[in-house]
Amino acid sequence: MTISAPPKSQLVDQFARRISYLRLSVTDRCDLRCAYCMPEKMTFLPRKDVLSLEELHDMALGFIARGITKIRLTGGEPLVRRDMMELVTALGRKLEDGLEELTMTTNATRLAEFADGLAAAGIRRINVSLDTLDRETFARLARRDSLPQVLEGIAAAKAAGLKVKINTVALKGINEGGIADLIAWAHGQHFDITLIEVMPLGEVDEDRFDHYLPLMAVREQLEQQWTLTPSDHRTGGPARYFDVAETGGRLGLITPLTNNFCDGCNRIRVTATGQLYACLGGNEQVDLRAALRSADPQAALDEGLDLAMRIKPARHNFAIDAHGQAPALARHMSMTGG
Ligand code: SAM
Ligand code: SF4
């Protein structure tokens, strides 16, 4: 007779928020160098510090056992990690066995190669980051002339049956003039699109606030040409949605610096080195790599998750001061995972 282990307790934080969504960064490396995300000469982590495929897999299973039902794989650029498809395939096997959704955020440079494999593994939706449709602006912003590959990757994803959502960082003086065109293009392809304000995460080569563009201003500009109606659509994330009458599509706006979206937060993040961050905008952290490399990884992982629930803060502490400045958190988005 086999005695099955009792079900483990779910992850609920001190503010009674049930945590069901894990964003897992599988690498801090990337083939682009988006100016708001990382410096041109970014120093990447030594490979030995990054979790192995087995560690990532074991950790993800540990999270699923504690009630995580959605995992988003991110980075850095997840598709530059060599053994990425092995992880996707392994986690795909947990779909309908605890895991309800497996997704990915990608810059799409390598999506043409991997779209079919992602769909075959059970991924249904992906987020693609695309800030402009103008090749020169792309090359300047991403510091790589990769727009053609990105568009090819997006087309391949669509052809593979993946539902694509476009994410766009709105940047004053860089892509702001092309945002309406980008929205119209996305809606023409039947993609949702979400705009996001630039956040103060890690040092980059320039002052991000030279390019900080409040989405209120973007919305006002768009409303001069389109009818934006607030929508009831919710994804459990921080975006607020609008239906655009003229394009027939949906537009999301994420305003981390000017709005507090923390009350309904259901997520935690883990870096490629196994550091759990309880909040994107805070420093509360648990070392899960140490747990995974300990004598009793299962128990240590559970203890780490319990600790994370105790330290998850009520809200992020991104804040703009009287001078319109926000103090940068030391880590880059490519480390914590977007
Ligand atoms: N490389 C993949 C990509 O670009 O989709 C996944 C990782 S990337 C860090 C995830 C998201 O974070 C991207 O949509 C990117 O635009 C966004 N991002 C990076 N740095 C940011 C920042 N400082 N403020 C706001 N968004 C940022
Ligand atoms: Fe790479 Fe994504 Fe950061 Fe751009 S935003 S540099 S694609 S990790």
Side-chain angles (χ1 to χ4, degrees):
M1 187 177 77
T2 52
I3 302 169
S4 54
K8 290 187 177 175
S9 64
Q10 307 254 306
L11 299 172
V12 179
D13 77 359
Q14 54 176 331
F15 305 102
R17 294 174 296 195
R18 166 133 141 65
I19 307 304
S20 57
Y21 181 8
L22 168 65
R23 291 200 171 206
L24 180 55
S25 174
V26 297
T27 177
D28 65 323
R29 287 163 199 258
C30 189
D31 52 350
L32 301 183
R33 293 287 183 283
C34 303
Y36 53 79
C37 180
M38 54 174 81
E40 167 77 71
K41 293 194 166 41
M42 180 72 174
T43 312
F44 293 112
L45 296 163
R47 281 185 207 277
K48 67 172 177 30
D49 291 351
V50 172
L51 296 184
S52 69
L53 184 77
E54 292 71 27
E55 287 171 328
L56 284 169
H57 183 240
D58 290 351
M59 187 176 63
L61 295 191
F63 275 96
I64 295 168
R66 296 294 301 270
I68 289 287
T69 55
K70 176 172 173 179
I71 297 180
R72 176 176 297 282
L73 302 169
T74 179
E77 173 47 41
L79 293 176
V80 302
R81 186 170 165 144
R82 234 177 292 139
D83 49 13
M84 189 58 212
M85 289 311 288
E86 278 176 64
L87 181 66
V88 172
T89 306
L91 293 182
R93 289 193 203 106
K94 291 300 289 181
L95 286 164
E96 289 170 34
D97 179 20
L99 191 59
E100 288 168 13
E101 189 174 31
L102 181 63
T103 59
M104 180 179 284
T105 299
T106 173
N107 64 24
T109 56
R110 307 195 61 189
L111 201 47
E113 189 182 332
F114 294 114
D116 285 336
L118 296 176
I123 289 190
R124 295 287 164 258
R125 302 189 301 148
I126 51 163
N127 287 2
V128 173
S129 306
L130 177 63
D131 299 324
T132 177
L133 287 175
D134 179 76
R135 188 164 174 175
E136 269 177 37
T137 308
F138 186 103
R140 194 155 55 92
L141 184 57
R143 302 191 183 105
R144 303 287 185 271
D145 180 22
S146 305
L147 183 64
Q149 292 94 295
V150 168
L151 294 178
E152 208 185 309
I154 293 172
K158 190 177 175 184
L162 297 171
K163 197 163 160 35
V164 176
K165 194 186 93 183
I166 304 292
N167 284 336
T168 303
V169 179
L171 297 157
K172 186 161 73 186
I174 298 184
N175 66 351
E176 63 176 316
I179 288 178
D181 284 351
L182 188 56
I183 295 169
W185 168 83
H187 288 172
Q189 303 269 338
H190 302 289
F191 302 154
D192 282 353
I193 176 167
T194 291
L195 307 181
I196 182 160
E197 289 170 349
V198 70
M199 289 183 266
L201 292 168
E203 289 299 323
V204 288
D205 294 331
E206 45 192 274
D207 187 346
R208 282 196 191 85
F209 280 83
D210 292 347
H211 301 295
Y212 172 61
L213 179 59
L215 291 185
M216 275 302 283
V218 177
R219 182 179 160 186
E220 277 165 22
Q221 228 171 14
L222 293 174
E223 283 180 324
Q224 291 182 5
Q225 62 182 106
W226 287 334
T227 318
L228 267 50
T229 311
S231 152
D232 291 338
H233 181 74
R234 290 283 180 277
T235 57
R240 291 293 163 261
Y241 292 90
F242 297 83
D243 293 319
V244 184
E246 290 77 1
T247 62
R250 189 185 291 142
L251 172 67
L253 301 182
I254 300 182
T255 53
L257 297 194
T258 50
N259 260 339
N260 180 1
F261 47 69
C262 304
D263 288 352
C265 182
N266 64 352
R267 60 192 63 186
I268 41 178
R269 298 163 191 269
V270 175
T271 69
T273 59
Q275 301 308 308
L276 181 153
Y277 281 97
C279 172
L280 174 65
N283 283 320
E284 298 78 6
Q285 152 182 18
V286 182
D287 184 359
L288 296 184
R289 184 180 62 193
L292 287 164
R293 294 180 182 176
S294 70
D296 187 351
Q298 275 269 354
L301 189 63
D302 278 328
E303 260 173 50
L305 294 182
D306 291 335
L307 174 59
M309 292 306 100
R310 293 198 295 276
I311 63 174
K312 186 169 166 63
R315 52 159 301 150
H316 68 68
N317 54 19
F318 294 130
I320 303 183
D321 65 20
H323 312 289
Q325 298 289 308
L329 281 174
R331 60 183 190 276
H332 292 95
M333 184 77 124
S334 57
M335 188 180 161
T336 327

